Amino acid sequence: KVAQALTSKPVKGMLTGPVTILNWSFPRKDISRKEQAFQLAMSLRAEVDDLQANGCVCLQMDDPALREGLPLKQERWAQYLEWAVQAFRLATAVAKPEVQIVTHLCYSDFGDILEAIDGMQADVLTIENSRSGDEMIKCLAKYGYNRDLGAGVYDVHSPVVPSANDIVSRIEMMIATGLLKGHHDRIWINPDCGLKTRQWEEVIPSLRNSVMAATMLRERVG
């Protein structure tokens, strides 16, 4: 609420998803991981409700550890993914229709669990992309993913500041895959991941060039 009072632009609320909290913690042994995921989801649900009650209209709930929690035996995957997706939806379903729900997945091969990712029903899926050669983009296009997508356009682990033209070229490569069946207005661009490893003199020009690239593409392709 304090942050939103300082700007007329939307302030994005940030939360870690229930499955990632579970997988990156030391879970209890006396109850199932599924039950713990649902307990975490209920706590996060209250956070989501508090954020929207205080004016938040864009909320990102990251669950990058979704895949790493998969059981070793593939025949157990479906059961795990069912409750993992349910936990995410339990946490976010309290959001009003006007609140945009974003999630983020990064640095993993998600090609074999795309149905589960789609089932999370996030309004926008953001992914690492610049280091993986558009592999995930191609998988999503082949799958027929039909929700808004925010693809990473530069590597946050490199000090190199990408030029606007470099970012334009990367976006054009995404479009060429047939992603979102030509609905270019549903492609968002962002850094691959968080910016904590970067200095301000790298962050600011990189973000400015990203905005410039988006403006150039809008003029070019509409």
Side-chain angles (χ1 to χ4, degrees):
K1 190 173 183 179
V2 172
Q4 188 62 77
L6 298 175
T7 178
S8 60
K9 296 182 179 180
V11 174
K12 182 191 285 185
M14 297 290 294
L15 296 169
T16 302
V19 175
T20 295
I21 293 176
L22 178 67
N23 286 333
W24 289 354
S25 302
F26 297 95
R28 292 167 55 179
K29 299 298 183 182
D30 57 327
I31 60 173
S32 68
R33 292 171 71 229
K34 173 182 177 180
E35 187 172 348
Q36 291 175 77
F38 287 174
Q39 290 176 349
L40 289 164
M42 288 302 296
S43 295
L44 289 165
R45 184 184 177 95
E47 290 282 343
V48 171
D49 206 20
D50 282 345
L51 284 166
Q52 68 179 356
N54 284 279
C56 182
V57 295
C58 182
L59 197 150
Q60 182 164 321
M61 185 174 290
D62 294 348
D63 238 344
L66 176 70
R67 195 183 194 287
E68 71 182 58
L70 285 169
L72 293 176
K73 294 184 177 180
Q74 194 164 356
E75 59 265 27
R76 298 178 182 174
W77 283 19
Q79 185 179 29
Y80 161 77
L81 289 170
E82 181 180 14
W83 62 253
V85 169
Q86 287 175 349
F88 182 88
R89 289 171 61 176
L90 177 61
T92 57
V94 70
K96 297 176 181 178
E98 61 268 25
V99 176
Q100 184 185 66
I101 297 295
V102 183
T103 194
H104 177 66
L105 305 174
C106 61
Y107 301 109
S108 188
D109 182 4
F110 296 98
D112 50 4
I113 61 167
L114 288 179
E115 186 174 349
I117 293 171
D118 198 10
M120 295 167 73
Q121 298 186 4
D123 297 312
V124 184
L125 168 65
T126 67
I127 60 170
E128 173 274 328
N129 180 63
S130 69
R131 301 180 72 184
S132 58
D134 289 339
E135 284 304 313
M136 188 63 175
I137 295 287
K138 294 171 185 175
C139 286
L140 288 165
K142 184 177 180 180
Y143 172 80
Y145 192 78
N146 197 35
R147 304 178 193 279
D148 287 19
L149 183 73
V153 292
Y154 73 89
D155 183 4
V156 297
H157 297 291
S158 168
V160 174
V161 175
S163 70
N165 286 329
D166 289 339
I167 297 172
V168 166
S169 296
R170 184 164 293 280
I171 302 170
E172 288 176 332
M173 289 170 62
M174 297 179 202
I175 293 173
T177 66
L179 181 69
L180 295 173
K181 299 178 181 179
H183 293 285
H184 308 143
D185 58 325
R186 297 180 60 195
I187 297 175
W188 301 69
I189 63 168
N190 37 257
D192 269 349
C193 203
L195 299 168
K196 65 181 180 181
T197 63
R198 304 272 51 89
Q199 303 298 314
W200 283 112
E201 56 267 26
E202 300 159 353
V203 170
I204 298 301
S206 294
L207 293 178
R208 282 178 175 159
N209 288 347
S210 296
V211 173
M212 188 183 303
T215 302
M216 291 164 64
L217 255 300
R218 289 190 189 104
E219 293 174 353
R220 191 177 304 176
V221 301

